Amino acid sequence: MTRMPIFNHTTKHFCKSSNDVADCKVLPDLLEQINSNIEQVSGDGAYDTNESYDTITQRQAKAVVPPRSNAQIQQPNSSEIPAHPRDENLRRIHQIGRQLLVARKQISSTFFV
């Protein structure tokens, strides 16, 4: 299965994998192909995993990924540990609503990764 390209100015990056490999598992390989700074990584719900958020955060980029319909906050808000970026995304969606965030392009409604 061929994954969608990542666009870096005029360079396209691809990762080819079989159907039994989850999209989120190839994300590190895709991002490794980009040597420059990454401002934002957008993707569909297949990238709504803590691992994807961690990979994106390691590149100091913003994750723009809609949560899955059954997404749950993993870490309580009052925790001593800083909030995980995925949990922050879910809290923001609960605060102002999914449709408004899509309209503001703060989460993706389409597949860009």
Side-chain angles (χ1 to χ4, degrees), residues 1 3 17-22:
M1 167 189 259
R3 302 289 178 216
S17 65
S18 60
N19 287 341
D20 62 339
V21 177

Side-chain angles (χ1 to χ4, degrees), residues 96-107:
I96 70 171
R98 182 184 185 103
Q99 293 305 320
L100 184 57
L101 286 174
V102 169
R104 291 182 179 178
K105 303 291 186 204
Q106 292 177 340
I107 64 171

